[in-house]
Amino acid sequence: MNDEQVASHMATYRLAALPGDGTGREVMREALRVLSVFEENSPLSFEIKEIPCGGQYYLETGEEWPAGSFEYCRDESDAILLGAIGWPDARLPNGDMAGGQTILGLRSGLELYANVRPVRLYPGVTHKVHGIHKQVWDPDLVDIIMIRENTEGLYHSLLRRMEQRALGKKDEPIVIEEFPGLDGEVAWDPRPISRSGSERVIRFAFDYAKVRQRKSGKPQSVTCVDKSNVTRGCQLFRKIFREFAESNQDVPVKEAYIDAFTMWLVRNPEDLDIVVLPNMFGDIATDLASVLQGGMGMSASANMGPRHMLFEPVHGSAPKHAGKNIVNPIAMIQSVQMMFEALGFRKKDETLDICAEILQNAIRQHFEEGAPVTYDLGGTASTSDVGEAIAERCERMLKARFS
Ligand code: IPM
Ligand code: MN
């Protein structure tokens, strides 16, 4: 495509924006600010439907989101943006988290099986391993893509209950089993790991490695993280990983148990490229990994399925910071960047590719140039200060590129 074709291209993308709870609402505001700058200054256009949802909405209305929201996300959106879900004491009658229908119902109901969580340290950002703002590493040492299985494992029963709710169906009956040797009240969560569920996420990881290798010119290893010395589900996961390793000899592979991996991750992050993990291990390890990139305020993610995609910061709703305009909006804005990239790839839209690059450069330059940052990175800027600064930077870059 030449410049003229790029400029005349006029796709409209339909986005569902789910701000959710607490600071999720504040960071979503900044994501929408950035999106509006792209609308005004590039050939891109968006039709954005904002859908209220979450635990707070549940406490106010008795519903986790308005009727028809799941169907809108499923049938009428090209991509979904989510702020954060979860509010203290917001519980459904059965004890499950209120608002879970939004995040978990969508992950399960839209088969968003690969939760892609990049861990990258920007030049100028300080990591958090020593809990202070002074330690700077060579940013090249931290550049990992963690891929969390997102539809089964220890989350399986909760995911399915939330999917049932999202579809307006009743919970499936819970099967009670006996646990020999345990007396009294017992609560338990099954952790099924299936061949098909493992194959699709492991295939995704190998494909991701190949694309990244092609783009960067550097070999990209895939590391399998599990607890296959102990659990059967992980033994199946590891067995399938080895099958893929066997049939993808051009991709270097590594293996680790989750306990040792947590140490390895913090001590030698430079060893890791792509990492694939079962659901709950991925949940835990990605919060840990965020300290390598400056904290949870920097961790973005994509939830990818065969036909749908949802983008969200890895952090939660941070109730204690809510309403203060102080949290870091970068994780959310970086999630928009991931959306441009993934939509561009799927829709083969070069304008989106260009916009993904512009937003990426704007974020990187913001840190490289030492522009104002929020408290978590040692600064005093507000959520909206950072959002405005990124939006203005994008505007300048877009004007230079498209007008
Ligand atoms: C995450 C969150 C969610 C999860 C919660 C909000 C259900 O912690 O996206 O990592 O456990 O998956
Ligand atoms: Mn989590």
Side-chain angles (χ1 to χ4, degrees), residues 13-230:
Y13 292 105
R14 296 163 308 168
L15 308 181
L18 310 166
D21 291 311
T23 55
R25 300 176 179 185
E26 294 163 51
V27 296
M28 180 62 80
R29 213 174 295 140
E30 303 314 316
L32 297 177
R33 189 199 301 280
V34 168
L35 277 170
S36 70
V37 163
F38 278 85
E39 274 227 272
E40 281 158 28
N41 299 282
S42 83
L44 286 182
S45 79
F46 301 105
E47 193 185 298
I48 302 175
K49 186 176 172 70
E50 225 178 300
I51 301 176
C53 59
Q56 285 177 288
Y57 185 76
Y58 179 77
L59 292 177
E60 286 157 24
T61 65
E63 293 293 331
E64 294 167 86
W65 53 2
S69 298
F70 176 80
E71 289 76 7
Y72 183 86
C73 292
R74 184 188 59 196
D75 305 330
E76 285 168 71
S77 64
D78 294 301
I80 304 160
L81 282 170
L82 175 65
I85 295 291
W87 198 249
D89 304 324
R91 291 269 150 202
L92 301 174
N94 71 355
D96 289 343
M97 65 181 286
Q101 203 187 116
T102 306
I103 180 167
L104 300 167
L106 286 170
R107 283 180 186 169
S108 186
L110 303 182
E111 291 182 77
L112 306 175
Y113 63 86
N115 192 331
V116 182
R117 299 183 157 186
V119 183
R120 179 192 305 136
L121 183 66
Y122 285 112
V125 177
T126 51
H127 73 74
K128 288 282 196 313
V129 176
H130 303 275
I132 52 176
H133 299 297
K134 290 191 195 118
Q135 299 286 331
V136 182
W137 276 346
D138 176 353
D140 287 346
L141 296 183
V142 184
D143 191 8
I144 307 167
I145 304 288
M146 309 264 270
I147 300 175
R148 164 187 179 188
E149 199 293 316
N150 219 22
T151 55
E152 52 182 55
L154 205 41
Y155 280 68
H156 175 264
S157 48
L158 177 60
L159 283 162
R160 291 308 139 98
R161 286 199 297 277
M162 290 301 181
E163 179 181 339
Q164 294 290 315
R165 281 179 69 80
L167 292 167
K169 296 182 191 158
K170 276 215 172 114
D171 285 358
E172 281 168 355
I174 296 165
V175 181
I176 311 287
E177 284 182 20
E178 299 252 321
F179 292 89
L182 300 186
D183 294 327
E185 198 176 348
V186 175
W188 63 290
D189 305 273
R191 198 199 61 167
I193 290 186
S194 71
R195 170 167 279 279
S196 60
S198 304
E199 279 180 352
R200 62 184 184 179
V201 72
I202 292 169
R203 180 177 301 113
F204 189 99
F206 276 87
D207 290 348
Y208 205 107
K210 288 179 188 174
V211 170
R212 212 165 174 241
Q213 188 156 325
R214 217 173 28 244
K215 280 192 186 159
S216 70
K218 292 186 210 147
Q220 294 290 312
S221 63
V222 182
T223 302
C224 178
V225 176
D226 56 52
K227 190 72 183 171
S228 54
N229 50 341
V230 174

Side-chain angles (χ1 to χ4, degrees), residues 324-335:
K324 298 183 188 156
N325 193 31
I326 59 169
V327 297
N328 190 348
I330 294 294
M332 182 79 236
I333 295 171
Q334 183 78 59
S335 301

Side-chain angles (χ1 to χ4, degrees), residues 81 300-301 311-313 330-339:
L81 282 170
S301 78
F311 303 84
E312 54 169 341
I330 294 294
M332 182 79 236
I333 295 171
Q334 183 78 59
S335 301
V336 172
Q337 193 281 333
M338 292 182 79
M339 178 182 81

